[in-house]
């Protein structure tokens, strides 16, 4: 079996390719609106509450994963983290699909709520980009058996990922009154 350093080196290139490619592709696709391009597509307006729920589920699973590892249950911890990654991928696919088929929703709140909304939204977006390599590196360290290095990085990754998941739900709850069906 490869030692953990060889395994990490094997995946490092892919981690950085994904960490750069995912935000770039999402940004490009976010700018592509099929309706505005003249395609007769049905808006996927049912998706926001689903992907907000997936964000909430991710938060719950992350907390459960940390509780599992604190109890020494490595197998459950690993399964839950894999499920969190799958939820994040599903969220991203639905988020992009929604924005490619629907007209942009503008936040209609006023006063301090508007500032709060944009602070939460911007911090959510920035951390959702930054978190990608953190999650992938932390995951590879865990599956490669580099547990001390995994644990050290997970102490940074976990609160960031949890923040992204929770603020995804908050952003949805704040903008949902302004969705047009």
């Amino acid at each position: 079996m490869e030692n953990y350093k060889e395994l990490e080196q094997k995946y490092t290139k892919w981690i950085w390719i994904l960490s750069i490619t995912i935000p770039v592709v999402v940004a490009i696709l976010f700018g592509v609106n099929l309706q505005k391009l003249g395609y007769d597509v049905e808006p996927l307006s049912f998706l926001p509450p689903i992907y907000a729920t997936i964000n909430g589920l991710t938060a719950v699973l992350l907390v459960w994963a940390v509780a599992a590892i604190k109890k020494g249950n490595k197998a459950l911890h690993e399964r839950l983290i894999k499920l969190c990654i799958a939820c994040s991928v599903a969220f991203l696919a639905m988020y992009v699909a929604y924005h490619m088929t629907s007209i942009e929703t503008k936040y209609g709140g006023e006063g301090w709520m508007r500032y709060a909304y944009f602070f939460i939204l911007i911090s959510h977006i920035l951390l959702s980009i930054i978190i990608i390599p953190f999650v992938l590196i932390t995951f590879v360290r865990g599956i490669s058996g580099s547990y001390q290095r995994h644990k050290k990085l997970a102490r940074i990754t976990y609160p960031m990922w949890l923040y992204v998941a929770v603020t995804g739900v908050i952003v949805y709850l704040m903008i949902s009154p302004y969705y047009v069906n």
Side-chain angles (χ1 to χ4, degrees):
M1 181 176 159
E2 300 174 271
N3 70 33
Y4 72 85
K5 286 186 181 182
E6 289 172 353
L7 191 60
E8 282 185 41
Q9 286 176 345
K10 179 179 168 181
Y11 288 107
T12 297
K13 179 174 98 175
W14 289 108
I15 289 170
W16 289 110
I17 288 171
L18 287 171
S19 297
I20 294 166
T21 304
I22 291 170
V24 169
V25 169
V26 168
I28 290 167
L29 292 176
F30 195 79
V32 174
N33 186 286
L34 298 174
Q35 286 187 5
K36 288 181 181 177
L37 291 173
Y39 291 97
D40 186 25
V41 293
E42 189 69 31
L44 300 175
S45 56
F46 62 92
L47 285 177
I50 296 171
Y51 62 67
T53 301
I54 288 174
N55 263 331
L57 178 62
T58 302
V60 170
L61 293 171
L62 282 169
V63 171
W64 188 8
V66 169
I69 200 63
K70 285 184 178 185
K71 291 181 180 177
N73 194 337
K74 288 182 184 178
L76 178 60
H77 174 76
E78 183 178 336
R79 284 194 305 272
L80 291 168
I81 292 300
K82 286 177 180 176
L83 193 52
C84 288
I85 291 170
C87 284
S88 293
V89 170
F91 161 82
L92 193 56
M94 286 185 246
Y95 180 79
V96 169
Y98 169 76
H99 284 283
M100 287 182 70
T101 62
S102 304
I103 302 300
E104 181 184 359
T105 301
K106 303 266 189 210
Y107 179 71
E110 298 176 355
W112 71 270
M113 285 296 289
R114 185 170 187 78
Y115 294 109
Y117 171 79
F118 283 108
F119 174 80
I120 294 167
L121 177 64
I122 291 167
S123 64
H124 169 81
I125 291 169
L126 291 176
L127 283 177
S128 71
I129 295 166
I130 293 167
I131 195 65
I132 296 169
F134 279 88
V135 168
L136 296 174
I137 293 167
T138 304
F139 180 73
V140 168
R141 286 181 180 181
I143 63 169
S144 70
S146 180
Y147 298 124
Q148 288 304 318
R149 295 174 72 231
H150 167 81
K151 185 177 178 179
K152 185 177 180 180
L153 189 57
R155 288 184 175 153
I156 299 166
T157 304
Y158 169 69
M160 254 196 304
W161 197 359
L162 186 61
Y163 180 87
V164 169
V166 170
T167 56
V169 176
I170 293 169
V171 165
Y172 166 74
L173 292 173
M174 291 180 81
I175 199 166
S176 62
Y178 306 103
Y179 281 121
V180 177
N181 288 326

